[in-house]
Structure formats: structure tokens, C-alpha cells
């Protein structure tokens, strides 16, 4: 669910560069914050429960999902290449997720 939330936020804030309609309707796009917030609330609830009440794993997994979603969507829509620096950052984000799950 964190990945879904990150994807929705990406379109909410970067959609202005993809669509004239989104660019000309920032208030409408800001209203998407309500359902997006619900996605994050439930994602947080589910992961905190999955990690026996610990808050840190959900925060780190949410951060890593944001890095992964941003890199993919920015490459897909804007053809921005993955530089060495970005690739290393994505590898670290992936490592964060793996560490949180494996060392549960």
C-alpha cells in the first residue's frame, strides 16, 4: 500500500508536467490528498501490526517505496536516466526494505 500511496503522490505533484488539465487544476489535485492520506493511514496500520507494533520498519519501508516509485515514474514519463548516484541510492532503498523484512 505504501507503493500505491507513493505512486499516487507522484502523479498528484508531478502530473502538472504531464497534463495541462492537472496543471490548471491544482486545487482539484490537492483534494486527492484525502484518499491518498487514507492509503497511507492503512498502510501504516498494516505494517505496524505486521512488525509487532514497531514504528520504524513502516517508516523505512515507506521511504524506500518512495525512492523506488519516484525513480521508475520519472524515468518512464520523462526519460530521465538512472545515473550511478541514483542507482546506488535505489540499491540502498532496496536494501532497506530487504533488511526490514528479513531481520523482522
Amino acid at each position: 500500500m505504501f507503493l500505491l500511496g507513493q505512486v499516487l503522490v507522484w502523479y498528484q505533484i508531478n502530473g502538472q508536467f504531464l497534463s495541462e488539465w492537472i496543471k490548471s487544476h491544482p486545487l482539484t489535485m490537492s483534494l486527492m490528498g484525502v484518499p491518498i492520506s487514507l492509503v497511507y493511514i492503512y498502510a501504516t496500520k498494516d505494517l505496524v501490526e505486521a512488525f509487532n507494533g514497531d514504528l520504524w520498519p513502516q517508516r523505512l519501508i515507506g521511504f524506500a517505496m518512495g525512492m523506488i516509485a519516484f525513480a521508475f515514474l520519472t524515468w518512464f514519463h520523462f526519460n530521465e536516466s538512472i545515473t550511478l548516484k541514483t542507482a546506488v541510492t535505489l540499491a540502498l532503498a532496496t536494501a532497506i526494505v530487504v533488511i526490514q523484512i528479513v531481520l523482522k
Side-chain angles (χ1 to χ4, degrees):
M1 287 187 66
F2 269 116
L3 184 58
L4 172 63
Q6 294 290 355
V7 167
L8 293 173
V9 166
W10 191 93
Y11 283 107
Q12 181 189 32
I13 62 176
N14 295 304
Q16 62 185 316
F17 307 116
L18 293 172
S19 162
E20 283 301 317
W21 186 90
I22 293 173
K23 185 177 185 176
S24 63
H25 293 88
L27 182 58
T28 303
M29 292 308 294
S30 70
L31 295 175
M32 291 301 299
V34 174
I36 292 170
S37 293
L38 288 172
V39 169
Y40 282 121
I41 288 168
Y42 287 114
T44 299
K45 176 188 160 292
D46 291 344
L47 276 179
V48 169
E49 287 176 2
F51 285 94
N52 301 317
D54 290 341
L55 291 172
W56 270 110
Q58 65 80 27
R59 178 63 191 110
L60 294 169
I61 289 171
F63 163 76
M65 291 294 101
M67 294 293 298
I68 292 165
F70 186 89
F72 176 77
L73 291 169
T74 302
W75 165 79
F76 182 77
H77 286 292
F78 298 112
N79 202 30
E80 287 191 25
S81 64
I82 304 294
T83 64
L84 177 60
K85 179 173 69 172
T86 303
V88 169
T89 303
L90 290 172
L92 291 170
T94 303
I96 287 171
V97 173
V98 170
I99 289 168
Q100 293 304 311
I101 292 170
V102 172
L103 299 179
K104 184 176 173 183

